[in-house]
Amino acid sequence: MSVVTLRIVIGLFLILLGIAGISPNIGESIFSLSNKNFTLEVIFGIVEIICGLIIFLGLFVKTRTKTVYNASLIIFYFWLARIILTKFFWYKIPLSHLPSFMTWALILCTEVVIASSIWLLAKTYKSGLLK
């Protein structure tokens, strides 16, 4: 998979997740913050939409490499905060029930893969390999 394809997929993912986050009638599925704090969902949603647009639209509109790098870094740190809050702070790890633990672990792994992809985008654009 090329970095351009990854950029398209991550950009669209963040835009869609951001829209779901700011709309009270659309669920975020496994990516919900799950703490019933609509204000926090809106904040995360707005940041996700803006960064997703920068990452995605930068392919079609002249964008500085540093802008894409900064947007990727911002969303990477927001995504790490999302993982820490939703998987460790607001949610008790279901160690005593194997099926629940497996679901929790699978979702955690999915979120780590997304974080790794965002980190890869940031590092690729920082290195100047892509313009």
Side-chain angles (χ1 to χ4, degrees), residues 82-96:
R82 175 186 280 276
I83 291 171
I84 291 167
L85 291 171
T86 61
K87 298 299 173 271
F88 301 102
F89 190 69
W90 293 327
Y91 188 80
K92 185 178 178 227
I93 301 170
L95 295 174
S96 62

Side-chain angles (χ1 to χ4, degrees), residues 17-28 38 41-42:
L17 186 63
I19 292 169
I22 63 173
S23 176
N25 298 328
I26 303 173
E28 293 175 291
F38 184 69
E41 288 277 4
V42 170

Side-chain angles (χ1 to χ4, degrees), residues 17-43:
L17 186 63
I19 292 169
I22 63 173
S23 176
N25 298 328
I26 303 173
E28 293 175 291
S29 185
I30 63 170
F31 300 108
S32 175
L33 291 178
S34 300
N35 73 335
K36 309 293 187 232
N37 186 335
F38 184 69
T39 303
L40 194 57
E41 288 277 4
V42 170
I43 291 168

